[in-house]
Amino acid sequence: MNYPQLDIYLNRIKENASKLRQELDGKNIKLTAVVKGFAGNLNVFKAYQEAAIKSIADSRIENIKKFREAGYQDEILMLRIPMPSEIKEIVPYIDASLVTEAKTAELISKAAEAAAKIIDLIIMVDIGDRREGILAQNLAELAEKIEALPGVKLKGIGTNLGCFAGIIPDQKNTFHLINLKRELENKLGRELEILSAGNTATIRLLKEQELAREVSNLRVGEAILLGTDIINQSLINGYHHYNFRLQAEIVELKEKPSNPEGEMAFGGQGRGQIIEDKGLRRRAILAVGKQDIDYHGLYPELEGVDVLGASSDHLITDVTDAAQDLGVGDILTFKINYSAMLRAMTSQYVSKNYIE
Ligand SMILES: *Cc1c(COP(=O)(O)O)cnc(C)c1O
């Protein structure tokens, strides 16, 4: 055993992917599985292939190349609007890209021509979350520019919500997007094939037929990997939940005053923490840190364990109320959220244990 260790339940991920694909198929919505959460890991990727996923999205060229080299031939969508500096290199590996900038579209057009292929483009529209996306009033201008470019095909428009400002996808903003697509179709004088909604938080909206009829593509990551919907703070019914589990080892366990001692940096806030004086507490230090996980996203499986914080290499927990006696060398296990999963998959120091 090598700790910290991440247990990865491949079968559950596969079943989630397969179930979601079939559910969306039934609504005539193409599932694009967003795979950016597992750092191009080919063992996890295999679960998607076994689930017959035919469209994936990632944002890292390294991962995209790896999937192609592993023999994946179906659709790859460049999920993050590409860096101008990577376009030449990435175009040979992808089928489609999200775009928001005319300059980027022009570079993709050039690279596509050079590679003798057509790249599908989806314009991202910002309808409130203020991450990537063009504002509605500028949409037509960009669309018309793209229409005139060789080597690219304007397939439709899309949006992403929830990820920066935390704006929740709802009926109102989704209908807004649908209306923008209609207006754009009128201006261009042709239909657009794709209305690409995203992400996991949009799934629950698709119960409404009126919405589901208009959405033709859904980009989903979290629901497949974790069965959770962090934006709506819920577990997704009928899916396997928390398919990644962290195991970490206790390297120190001592009774200590919970109150720190000495002059505290940063205006007495101790890097923003407010530490409550709870008297003497049993404190377990685990050998895993910020380099490996996002400690905000750790949910201890043993009752009574409290995560207090982390530094680069240490996780600090309060185990005074733990439901079990603990000692140095014992292992604590945690369910983890998306952000902790992302970090654990990226960290070379976290060993990966695949459970079929
Ligand atoms: C990450 C991402 C998604 C997937 O989001 P989940 O919440 O993991 O389903 C969809 N679209 C874009 C543009 C993304 O960056």
Side-chain angles (χ1 to χ4, degrees):
M1 279 306 162
N2 279 317
Y3 297 108
Q5 174 175 296
L6 191 66
D7 296 331
I8 307 170
Y9 294 85
L10 295 176
N11 243 358
R12 300 200 215 151
I13 295 168
K14 174 175 136 187
E15 284 175 22
N16 280 0
S18 176
K19 185 179 164 86
L20 184 62
R21 177 180 55 72
Q22 288 172 42
E23 278 183 10
L24 293 179
D25 267 355
K27 296 179 156 75
N28 269 325
I29 299 172
K30 180 173 82 176
L31 168 64
T32 295
V34 172
V35 299
K36 70 185 176 206
F38 56 83
N41 183 297
L42 289 179
N43 290 298
V44 182
F45 189 64
K46 195 161 147 260
Y48 285 73
Q49 292 186 284
E50 287 170 0
I53 296 295
K54 303 285 182 205
S55 171
I56 62 156
D58 203 324
S59 40
R60 309 291 171 146
I61 188 167
E62 295 86 346
N63 299 348
I64 288 171
K65 279 185 178 171
K66 244 168 124 178
F67 300 144
R68 286 293 188 221
E69 279 154 17
Y72 176 78
Q73 293 185 344
D74 295 307
E75 184 181 63
I76 297 185
L77 167 73
M78 180 62 177
L79 184 66
R80 182 175 61 195
I81 42 179
M83 293 184 269
S85 62
E86 70 185 339
I87 286 172
K88 249 194 221 158
E89 194 183 346
I90 205 167
V91 156
Y93 295 92
I94 60 172
D95 304 288
S97 181
L98 304 179
V99 285
T100 62
E101 297 279 355
K103 177 178 174 178
T104 307
E106 281 159 22
L107 289 169
I108 294 175
S109 159
K110 272 196 196 126
E113 278 210 290
K117 67 192 284 192
I118 304 284
I119 300 287
D120 294 337
L121 296 183
I122 297 169
I123 300 177
M124 291 298 268
V125 188
D126 178 354
I127 56 173
D129 202 50
R130 306 292 178 250
R131 199 180 73 177
E132 82 277 42
I134 194 163
L135 294 179
Q137 64 262 33
N138 304 320
L139 172 62
E141 191 190 339
L142 178 60
E144 276 160 1
K145 272 188 190 154
I146 291 174
E147 285 282 84
L149 291 173
V152 292
K153 172 102 188 137
L154 179 64
K155 277 281 173 157
I157 66 172
T159 198
N160 193 62
L161 289 157
C163 288
F164 178 57
I167 300 300
I168 298 171
D170 59 17
Q171 279 209 23
K172 187 160 170 259
N173 52 34
T174 306
F175 272 117
H176 181 45
L177 187 73
I178 291 166
N179 286 330
L180 287 175
K181 176 167 173 272
R182 291 204 182 115
E183 281 170 28
L184 184 59
E185 286 174 335
N186 284 338
K187 273 217 176 103
L188 298 177
R190 70 174 181 92
E191 287 199 359
L192 293 167
E193 204 178 304
I194 288 184
L195 189 121
S196 182
N199 40 41
T200 293
T202 309
I203 292 175
R204 60 172 197 156
L205 289 180
L206 299 174
K207 293 204 176 75
E208 290 165 46
Q209 289 202 356
E210 227 187 316
L211 271 179
R213 211 180 307 130
E214 303 289 339
V215 172
S216 50
N217 174 227
L218 192 68
R219 310 176 312 273
V220 176
E222 183 190 357
I224 296 172
L225 287 163
L226 297 174
T228 54
D229 174 351
I230 203 162
I231 294 167
N232 292 300
Q233 295 187 294
S234 60
L235 298 177
I236 302 173
N237 252 338
Y239 285 74
H240 298 291
H241 305 134
Y242 297 111
N243 305 318
F244 293 75
R245 195 179 67 142
L246 181 78
Q247 301 197 42
E249 187 169 350
I250 298 175
V251 291
E252 182 188 293
L253 202 157
K254 293 187 191 307
E255 205 142 270
K256 291 188 185 186
S258 55
N259 215 17
E261 193 178 328
E263 187 189 346
M264 201 179 265
F266 308 108
Q269 296 293 303
R271 303 187 183 203
Q273 306 182 55
I274 295 167
I275 297 174
E276 192 190 340
D277 186 1
K278 294 182 173 172
L280 272 185
R281 305 289 290 177
R282 279 177 78 70
R283 181 170 289 221
I285 312 266
L286 285 77
V288 66
K290 284 184 179 168
Q291 188 159 15
D292 315 297
I293 40 95
D294 175 358
Y295 72 87
H296 295 106
L298 294 182
Y299 315 122
E301 290 192 305
L302 179 63
E303 219 174 295
V305 174
D306 214 4
V307 174
L308 301 177
S311 60
S312 308
D313 297 322
H314 299 93
L315 181 73
I316 298 100
T317 65
D318 184 329
V319 297
T320 314
D321 304 324
Q324 192 181 302
D325 252 354
L326 295 167
V328 170
D330 283 352
I331 304 301
L332 286 183
T333 63
F334 303 85
K335 290 180 198 164
I336 63 179
N337 77 2
Y338 194 91
S339 163
M341 170 194 71
L342 189 69
R343 196 99 53 100
M345 288 305 295
T346 305
S347 174
Q348 57 171 307
Y349 305 104
V350 176
S351 69
K352 316 293 187 291
N353 177 36
Y354 304 102
I355 300 164
E356 295 288 340

